[in-house]
Amino acid sequence: MASSINSLEAIQKKIDAVKLFLSVSLSIANAHTVDFYTCDVWDQFMAVPPVEVLTEITLNGDHKRAPEHYLNHGSGTTKNITFGFCDDSKRLVDVAELLEAAYAHSLPGLGVCVGRTELLQTLRHTDNAQPLEEVPAAVVESEEFMNSKKSHEVQAMSEVVASLAQRCRVKQVIDVGSGKGYLCSFLSLQYGLQVYGIDSSSVNTHGAQERNRKLKKYSRAYQRHSKANRTPTVMPPSGQKDLEDIAPEDNSLPGLDQSDPASAPEDPFLSALCVGMVEPISPRVPPSELSLEERERRKRENLERKARSWVNSGGMGSGMLYSPLTSFVTAETELKEIIGELEDAVMVGLHTCGDLAPSTLRMFVAKRELLSVCSVGCCYHLLSEEFDPTRQECPSSSVCGFPLSGYLREQSWFCGRNARMSACLALERVAKGQGIQMESLFYRAVLHVILRDHYSSFKSEKRVGNVYSKATSFVDYVWRALRRLELDESKLSDSVIQGYHDTYRPRMVEMEAFNMLKVTLAPCIEGLILLDRLCYLKEQEDVAFSTLVQLFDPLLSPRCYGVVGVKAPGMELSE
């Protein structure tokens, strides 16, 4: 990894390029699907028919013009057209140009990421590196207790984390937003690392502790069986049921740590996505809402849990090296108050939600005992923005999650909440046919027209919610929505409602084409957020090495990029 490619100046130049592209195209991502017909969104942004958009996306999918084309040719500006948009009308006139520019300003197009294999080679081929060792007595087949997605994530990330630990010559790992503890258990059982999993949910912590006990028992049984019969075994259904009884698999990811979804603004665009199109979320309670008694109880529970874990395991020699802890952490948190045996450590976060991902990087920079970090974020729609005029997620008194770098903060850059929602989309999955449930989006947009035409106040504090899943038709959907919103049903009839459906149904293709453009822009928005985090690490004098790495297969795990940093003194890596 040549220094000129991954230097602070180079990253800032990449940020400038993405910013320039988004300054022209971000309006598409920020358009709200609910307002699609009431605000005539298609005519506002598009000067081409929807069929042309869909055809271009389908037939011309290999949009891989080099980013240097835009840097060297007027930044994508030719004949009063910038990235496919008319400079005068600000409407899209050249779909192919937009698609090419979108790829060029994504992380793959910018060429800023390293592969996982390349990163591992870099970490291991240094003067200080030691051979990576697994724990022979604790062989774990991850597929036996995780689904294929989680198994892929945990195996891929744990190898990087273990390599970072050996690279920095440490044995402790701190997993922030550890959730159900899959990564923690695997790191402790497979690599013999002492792992502290910190999660704000006591339910997650208790479940993780019990699951780790089960996994340790299963690991030992697996090892004994392997010695007797070298053919790998599958966990019996009874054992599998036992694990599910402890903590049922609900497809939520480890490390998700944010506010109650019930208090969030309604997002029909997210709710209309197929399963797996965006990362699911789980609730937490902010520390400001905890009573003094609850904070003391959590602290006491943590101390008692660590003591029991130590006694029951017979000390560090038995392989029971995972301690689940309950706490809400920020960059200001004193880790020694949570972890009494704190030593130099690696900090990790697997799909840490919203602001927890940037908080993880802030903690890494602020705490001298944290020698390296590997952070994979998710749920960008819950990320707070310092310079967003609406300030929906970021109170003026708190530290916001974006931008993180001084470079972008000096420019007061913001994306907007709808754009961050778009960044959650999975382009690779959509490209493979796992598309968007367009009918539910269409229903919600037409309902908005009805609310505008027949009700004086169609901006309600109440939420329509997911009535689509229960509705048998559009008419049934509207009746259910009106009851949910507690509106006067006498103003409408079945025939009037059906008339709205029939009027707008021919224009549903506009919504489909528009949302496919949103999906196309998603990697660029995500890329800017991640480049900002990388730039933040590059700005720190004591961070010797930092990079973005693609850890996962994006088809299996759409949030596949990790931010890696190392600040071990005297152990610089060449970038």
Side-chain angles (χ1 to χ4, degrees), residues 120 124 129-135 158-167 190-191 193:
L120 290 172
R124 293 169 183 171
Q130 302 293 325
L132 184 62
E133 297 179 358
E134 297 184 359
V135 179
S158 64
E159 188 175 9
V160 171
V161 173
S163 295
L164 285 169
Q166 289 219 308
R167 167 70 173 67
Q190 194 79 356
Y191 293 101
L193 294 167

Side-chain angles (χ1 to χ4, degrees), residues 259-260 263 284-292 294-295 298:
S259 58
D260 184 354
S263 65
R284 69 160 171 84
V285 179
S288 59
E289 297 180 12
L290 295 176
S291 65
L292 178 61
E294 174 64 13
R295 289 197 292 268
R298 289 189 176 191

Side-chain angles (χ1 to χ4, degrees), residues 109-388:
L110 293 167
V112 72
C113 284
V114 301
R116 192 178 71 94
T117 300
E118 182 182 356
L119 175 64
L120 290 172
Q121 290 174 347
T122 301
L123 292 173
R124 293 169 183 171
H125 290 82
T126 64
D127 294 338
N128 296 282
Q130 302 293 325
L132 184 62
E133 297 179 358
E134 297 184 359
V135 179
V139 176
V140 178
E141 291 295 326
S142 61
E143 292 87 350
E144 304 291 350
F145 60 92
M146 290 179 275
N147 62 35
S148 59
K149 175 180 182 293
K150 207 175 304 300
S151 173
H152 169 67
E153 294 165 351
V154 166
Q155 289 191 79
M157 189 165 180
S158 64
E159 188 175 9
V160 171
V161 173
S163 295
L164 285 169
Q166 289 219 308
R167 167 70 173 67
C168 298
R169 296 184 176 180
V170 300
K171 294 296 291 182
Q172 283 192 358
V173 174
I174 301 173
D175 185 358
V176 179
S178 54
K180 296 182 178 181
Y182 292 108
L183 178 64
C184 297
S185 296
F186 197 83
L187 284 168
S188 65
L189 291 172
Q190 194 79 356
Y191 293 101
L193 294 167
Q194 185 180 18
V195 186
Y196 294 94
I198 304 176
D199 196 273
S200 64
S201 168
S202 59
V203 174
N204 279 343
T205 303
H206 285 294
Q209 184 183 28
E210 183 62 17
R211 182 180 297 104
N212 190 58
R213 183 184 66 81
K214 294 279 186 180
L215 294 179
K216 182 186 176 187
K217 180 179 178 181
Y218 169 64
S219 175
R220 288 174 173 172
Y222 184 94
Q223 178 66 13
R224 289 194 298 268
H225 184 80
S226 296
K227 290 180 179 179
N229 181 359
R230 292 301 177 181
T231 303
T233 61
V234 178
M235 182 187 292
S238 60
Q240 205 166 40
K241 184 176 185 298
D242 193 22
L243 284 176
E244 291 172 354
D245 288 341
I246 297 299
E249 181 65 60
D250 64 357
N251 292 324
S252 64
L253 297 172
L256 304 187
D257 196 359
Q258 92 299 322
S259 58
D260 184 354
S263 65
E266 183 178 4
D267 297 326
F269 187 58
L270 287 181
S271 64
L273 301 176
C274 292
V275 175
M277 286 291 295
V278 296
E279 304 295 340
I281 56 179
S282 62
R284 69 160 171 84
V285 179
S288 59
E289 297 180 12
L290 295 176
S291 65
L292 178 61
E293 291 78 8
E294 174 64 13
R295 289 197 292 268
E296 288 298 322
R297 185 189 67 79
R298 289 189 176 191
K299 185 175 182 180
R300 185 171 60 253
E301 275 189 358
N302 286 337
L303 294 175
E304 292 173 353
R305 187 177 298 114
K306 286 189 288 185
R308 288 197 304 269
S309 174
W310 186 263
V311 172
N312 293 337
S313 66
M316 291 183 59
S318 68
M320 188 67 170
L321 306 178
Y322 167 36
S323 300
L325 307 172
T326 303
S327 181
F328 180 87
V329 294
T330 67
E332 290 72 38
T333 300
E334 286 296 334
L335 295 175
K336 291 183 179 180
E337 294 183 0
I338 304 172
I339 305 170
E341 305 84 10
L342 181 64
E343 302 172 359
D344 288 347
V346 177
M347 174 159 278
V348 302
L350 174 54
H351 289 143
T352 45
C353 189
D355 284 347
L356 187 56
S359 290
T360 300
L361 298 179
R362 285 191 174 105
M363 278 187 277
F364 164 66
V365 169
K367 312 300 181 186
R368 65 178 184 178
E369 59 268 18
L370 300 178
L371 300 188
S372 61
V373 66
C374 182
S375 170
V376 180
C378 69
C379 300
Y380 301 125
H381 59 298
L382 297 174
L383 188 67
S384 62
E385 294 196 80
E386 181 177 359
F387 301 105
D388 185 348

